[in-house]
Amino acid sequence: MSEHRDYAGGKLGMWIFLFTEILLFGGLFLLYAAYLHRYPADFNAGGKQLDVVLGAANTIILITSSFTVAASITALRLGQTARCLWLLAATVALALGFLVNKFFEWSAKIGHGIYPGSQHLLQMPPGENLFFGLYYAMTGLHGLHVLIGATLLSVTAALVRKGRVTQGNFGLLENAGLYWHLVDLVWIFLFPLFYLIA
Amino acid sequence: MDHGNVGGLGFLAPAPGRKGLLSWIGTTDHKRIGLLYMGCVGFMFFCGAALGMILRLKLMTPGSTLVGPQTYNAMFTLHGVIMIFLVVIPSIPASLGNILLPLQIGAEDVSFPRLNLFSWWLYVLGATLAVVSIFTGSGAPDTGWTFYVPFSERTTTNVSLAVTAVTILGFSSILTGLNFVTTIHRLRAPGMTWTRLPLFVWSLYATAWIQVLATPILGITLVLVFAERVLNLGLFDPGRGGDPLLYQHLFWIYSHPAVYIMVLPAMGVISDIIPVFARKNIFGYKMIAFSSLAIAFAGSLVWAHHMFTSGMSDTAVLVFSFLTFIVAIPSAIKVFNWVSTLYKGSISVEPPLLFSLGFIFMFSVGGLTGLVQGAAGTDIHVHDTYFIVGHFHYVIFGGTGLGMFAALHFWLPKIFGRMYDRGVAKLSFWIILVGMNVLYFPMFILGLEGLPRRYYDYLPKYAHGQVLSTIGSWILAVGLVIMFANLYRGMRRGPLAGDNPWGAATLEWTTSSPPPTNNFEVEPVVTHGPYDFRGVARHE
């Protein structure tokens, strides 16, 4: 097969893929909406037990990383490969920072006996059990996406270094950046729904 | 029309560089990937049909015969999982769609050929896991293909692996849909405007959108079932505040639109075949194209009609009942337009047309009985009875199945360059049609008499219908064996077919049979619509 490069086609495919990702999370958001409607008081009580400072820190980390990835695309388009790589490295570092932060947050919660199926959670009112069930399901799925996004950005950075993704052929970097923005966007919804609901 | 290479192997010829099996399982040629799908789907169809035959044989007599109750539960679950996720959903779009979509729009391949191969590998992985789930763990899944909670969370059988398999199959389906949408937008040949697209392409387009928009919901739902089993989240557990009804909503948000993933491509096939054998432009091209999109849209808003007896509010029941009737409109538009196309046409009764007419008949019966369930009042009576089983087998097997068979008879000479025995094909059609009706029609009566679906045992008063239905399954099996043997023989040893044996006007018939690896010697320029037969001659 002859190699043909279709920039607009690649972008279209990526946007459709992002849409499927939104729908994937959409199923969970739907459950959240239904259960929030049924147990507003319990969700309020659950939200009070989450650490707003840690959540806010992670929000700032992700928004900053969205900026660095966007800047890396501009850098590559201007032909500044070194700066592009530097910015991508910063993005991946921020992603890892997010995950480390998340790790401590989850560990603390599990340390307090709040984890799926735990005895402590079973004694709480049903709404709080659901709140934390959704908390683990949604932030867990989001964390998985952070991991995938960081991997994707690392692979793209390697291809930029090898000269396979260049000033004239930046489609892959742009698509990886779009994916990263989606990961960021999902978090922007998760943060208020879990941390600020109280 | 003659390319002077009649009898050539085209894309089937051994590819330079890669040899043997690797030239197939590592190919990015959409036609080879399509054939890979076709082989897998065919094999899985055989497995699913064999399970169905054993179920029917067991049901011929009441009481404990042939298989035990647990085995019976596992068998109808697997019959459903295999037939829905491994056969019907990929049947037309992933196999024939892959082969024909680029050919019909004058493209060299799909937009993302490697992604296309990746989809196939995901399908193989999902199929393998589904089969492995039967033999490992503590018993084959016994939940029915719908994996309803809370039973699917509590049963000790191998549900976790089965839902993983179905999730993977879902992603395969999403990627195929994404690929098709992009291909149709980006790779149409010069002159191939949206109103010159063959209607099969339009139906694939509508299908691809449903695959993209609905399947992620199934993905997350089954991931949640998995998480519930492994992590014990309690999201659907009423004991801990969860609501099992929400599972049903999420499940049907995908699984009802999935019904249209199954039937829309078959409708596209029929829309392509009927004008060719009526030698007449399709009646109402734009309405048929539009109705595909309308079905895709309206079909996404009717999911809760599977839940009329689940205890949701009366308002919800009325709204979903009303929306369900709306879907009947675009479906009826198609049926009337096909019949109008035949009116005063110059009809030649060839096997593809016979199977298409069979589709219209079976789909009409299936569609009209669907309305019985769409009406909230009558649904209470027939819900979860054999009436439902009859209804969806009429639509899915009588509809999509016959559509697939019509497509095989129509495009086999294009794909393999050879023709099957048309007399035998017609004979097999009649046997299949009779078999299907003897098999499935008694189910309507059994259902109205109150026989619940999925039950292992039944009262003696239902015995007559069960016996008749089982006899039908034997007739159907005979017809299927004759049909597949005839197609296989034609594929291997049939007389050479020309580039355009039916005198069709769509682009795939302008290239040689089988098509070359790059599809067209020169990039085609489209100057007329897909059903404009002026100047198109049969070439056998």
Side-chain angles (χ1 to χ4, degrees):
Chain A
M1 287 273 95
S2 62
E3 193 72 38
H4 64 88
R5 201 173 282 148
D6 180 8
Y7 172 74
K11 281 290 276 294
L12 178 64
M14 191 64 199
W15 277 105
I16 296 174
F17 178 71
L18 293 181
F19 214 90
T20 67
E21 289 278 12
I22 290 178
L23 287 161
L24 190 74
F25 279 98
L28 288 168
F29 280 113
L30 203 65
L31 283 184
Y32 183 98
Y35 288 139
L36 173 65
H37 178 72
R38 196 169 299 175
Y39 305 104
D42 290 350
F43 270 53
N44 179 38
K48 279 191 182 139
Q49 295 170 54
L50 292 179
D51 191 334
V52 182
V53 178
L54 277 181
N58 261 350
T59 309
I60 293 167
I61 288 175
L62 273 194
I63 291 180
T64 314
S65 74
S66 250
F67 166 73
T68 51
V69 82
S72 81
I73 298 166
T74 314
L76 187 69
R77 291 180 71 170
L78 294 171
Q80 301 163 344
T81 313
R83 178 172 287 180
C84 165
L85 284 171
W86 181 85
L87 285 161
L88 279 177
T91 313
V92 174
L94 287 167
L96 295 178
F98 176 92
L99 289 174
V100 169
N101 203 347
K102 189 98 267 177
F103 171 76
F104 283 119
E105 196 190 334
W106 274 31
S107 306
K109 279 280 153 300
I110 293 169
H112 286 114
I114 297 177
Y115 56 88
S118 73
Q119 212 53 43
H120 181 60
L121 213 50
L122 281 177
Q123 285 154 7
M124 286 180 166
E128 281 190 55
N129 176 53
L130 291 173
F131 179 83
F132 283 107
L134 283 168
Y135 166 75
Y136 279 107
M138 292 176 89
T139 57
L141 187 67
H142 177 259
L144 189 68
H145 278 76
V146 172
L147 206 59
I148 295 168
T151 313
L152 182 64
L153 288 170
S154 308
V155 171
T156 314
L159 291 173
V160 173
R161 266 192 81 170
K162 277 189 190 163
R164 299 258 298 275
V165 175
T166 58
Q167 186 176 9
N169 175 29
F170 57 91
L172 179 64
L173 177 61
E174 203 173 38
N175 284 341
L178 279 174
Y179 186 83
W180 191 250
H181 290 320
L182 177 89
V183 172
D184 191 6
L185 190 69
V186 170
W187 179 257
I188 287 175
F189 281 92
L190 291 183
F191 176 58
L193 287 180
F194 285 106
Y195 295 81
L196 304 181
I197 190 96
Chain B
M1 282 284 167
D2 191 353
H3 293 79
N5 66 343
V6 172
L9 283 171
F11 75 100
L12 297 167
R18 284 180 166 169
K19 285 200 189 95
L21 191 63
L22 199 65
S23 73
W24 283 91
I25 62 174
T27 184
T28 53
D29 181 350
H30 66 98
K31 300 181 288 299
R32 286 192 168 211
I33 294 173
L35 285 179
L36 287 174
Y37 269 114
M38 203 185 280
C40 295
V41 167
F43 175 72
M44 282 301 170
F45 176 75
F46 173 78
C47 296
L51 285 170
M53 293 290 293
I54 299 171
L55 288 173
R56 272 304 349 144
L57 196 58
K58 189 269 147 239
L59 289 169
M60 194 162 79
T61 42
S64 182
T65 52
L66 196 63
V67 292
Q70 184 61 29
T71 317
Y72 173 84
N73 288 350
M75 282 176 82
F76 76 66
T77 301
L78 288 161
H79 173 73
V81 169
I82 289 176
M83 283 305 200
I84 300 274
F85 295 112
L86 290 164
V87 177
V88 183
I89 287 179
S91 64
I92 297 179
S95 66
L96 288 161
N98 243 319
I99 298 173
L100 290 162
L101 170 63
L103 284 166
Q104 286 203 322
I105 63 174
E108 207 175 274
D109 207 312
V110 291
S111 271
F112 311 112
R114 276 178 297 181
L115 191 68
N116 201 14
L117 180 65
F118 180 63
S119 306
W120 180 72
W121 274 107
L122 281 181
Y123 171 83
V124 171
L125 178 66
T128 311
L129 288 180
V131 173
V132 166
S133 79
I134 307 173
F135 301 107
T136 56
S138 45
D142 56 349
T143 59
W145 75 278
T146 47
F147 300 114
Y148 266 21
V149 294
F151 183 65
S152 64
E153 289 177 8
R154 302 217 174 125
T155 176
T156 54
T157 56
N158 216 352
V159 170
S160 301
L161 195 59
V163 294
T164 309
V166 174
T167 308
I168 292 171
L169 290 169
F171 281 107
S172 163
S173 176
I174 289 175
L175 294 178
T176 301
L178 184 158
N179 218 338
F180 282 8
V181 171
T182 313
T183 305
I184 294 168
H185 273 278
R186 297 293 305 165
L187 298 183
R188 282 170 288 128
M192 180 58 82
T193 57
W194 285 92
T195 50
R196 281 182 187 161
L197 285 178
L199 287 163
F200 182 51
V201 175
W202 266 111
S203 73
L204 286 177
Y205 185 70
T207 307
W209 273 115
I210 311 177
Q211 284 177 302
V212 165
L213 296 181
T215 320
I217 307 284
L218 176 77
I220 192 65
T221 310
L222 295 181
V223 165
L224 282 175
V225 171
F226 185 85
E228 295 277 290
R229 288 177 66 86
V230 176
L231 300 174
N232 207 2
L233 290 175
L235 288 180
F236 300 125
D237 181 354
R240 286 184 283 160
D243 189 345
L245 210 59
L246 282 173
Y247 170 86
Q248 294 189 21
H249 275 292
L250 286 176
F251 180 81
W252 288 114
I253 285 177
Y254 163 78
S255 295
H256 193 79
V259 173
Y260 301 103
I261 296 179
M262 301 178 208
V263 82
L264 271 172
M267 292 171 156
V269 167
I270 306 309
S271 306
D272 259 18
I273 289 177
I274 286 191
V276 171
F277 296 96
R279 206 73 197 155
K280 194 163 154 274
N281 198 352
I282 188 99
F283 182 87
Y285 172 93
K286 282 184 183 165
M287 280 316 284
I288 293 185
F290 163 77
S291 64
S292 291
L293 297 179
I295 288 176
F297 176 74
S300 302
L301 302 173
V302 301
W303 73 86
H305 67 210
H306 294 266
M307 303 161 55
F308 284 166
T309 60
S310 70
M312 40 174 215
S313 75
D314 287 347
T315 320
V317 170
L318 284 177
V319 169
F320 279 104
S321 177
F322 174 71
L323 289 169
T324 302
F325 282 106
I326 299 232
V327 193
I329 297 171
S331 308
I333 288 178
K334 283 181 191 283
V335 171
F336 289 131
N337 281 7
W338 293 325
V339 176
S340 311
T341 305
L342 288 167
Y343 180 66
K344 284 190 177 172
S346 167
I347 297 171
S348 58
V349 185
E350 296 282 2
L353 182 71
L354 273 183
F355 278 99
S356 302
L357 296 176
F359 170 98
I360 296 178
F361 173 73
M362 297 297 283
F363 178 77
S364 300
V365 175
L368 290 170
T369 50
L371 294 178
V372 176
Q373 299 148 64
T378 43
D379 181 68
I380 306 296
H381 183 68
V382 296
H383 186 89
D384 255 349
T385 66
Y386 265 67
F387 194 86
I388 309 292
V389 183
H391 158 72
F392 68 65
H393 280 92
Y394 261 86
V395 176
I396 298 304
F397 198 10
T400 310
L402 285 182
M404 177 81 186
F405 300 157
L408 285 175
H409 284 90
F410 187 54
W411 279 299
L412 185 117
K414 173 49 65 186
I415 298 169
F416 296 103
R418 289 175 185 275
M419 185 61 86
Y420 46 84
D421 186 317
R422 300 186 200 185
V424 176
K426 287 179 188 173
L427 175 72
S428 69
F429 164 75
W430 287 111
I431 299 175
I432 287 173
L433 190 73
V434 170
M436 275 182 178
N437 282 290
V438 176
L439 169 54
Y440 298 123
F441 200 84
M443 293 186 179
F444 289 132
I445 296 159
L446 288 171
L448 287 172
E449 287 174 352
L451 176 59
R453 67 191 282 205
R454 289 178 171 172
Y455 276 28
Y456 176 70
D457 203 356
Y458 54 86
L459 296 173
K461 70 167 179 170
Y462 300 117
H464 294 301
Q466 295 279 27
V467 170
L468 194 58
S469 182
T470 303
I471 292 171
S473 77
W474 299 337
I475 301 174
L476 178 60
V478 169
L480 288 174
V481 168
I482 295 175
M483 185 191 76
F484 281 120
N486 183 39
L487 285 173
Y488 183 76
R489 197 182 168 283
M491 176 185 110
R492 299 304 290 245
R493 290 204 301 274
L496 293 177
D499 291 345
N500 192 0
W502 312 119
T506 40
L507 269 184
E508 75 272 25
W509 302 100
T510 62
T511 188
S512 52
S513 302
T517 303
N518 288 342
N519 290 353
F520 299 95
E521 303 294 336
V522 285
E523 187 181 32
V525 176
V526 184
T527 52
H528 60 82
Y531 312 109
D532 181 356
F533 297 102
R534 278 168 296 183
V536 177
R538 279 191 177 206
H539 174 78
E540 296 194 51

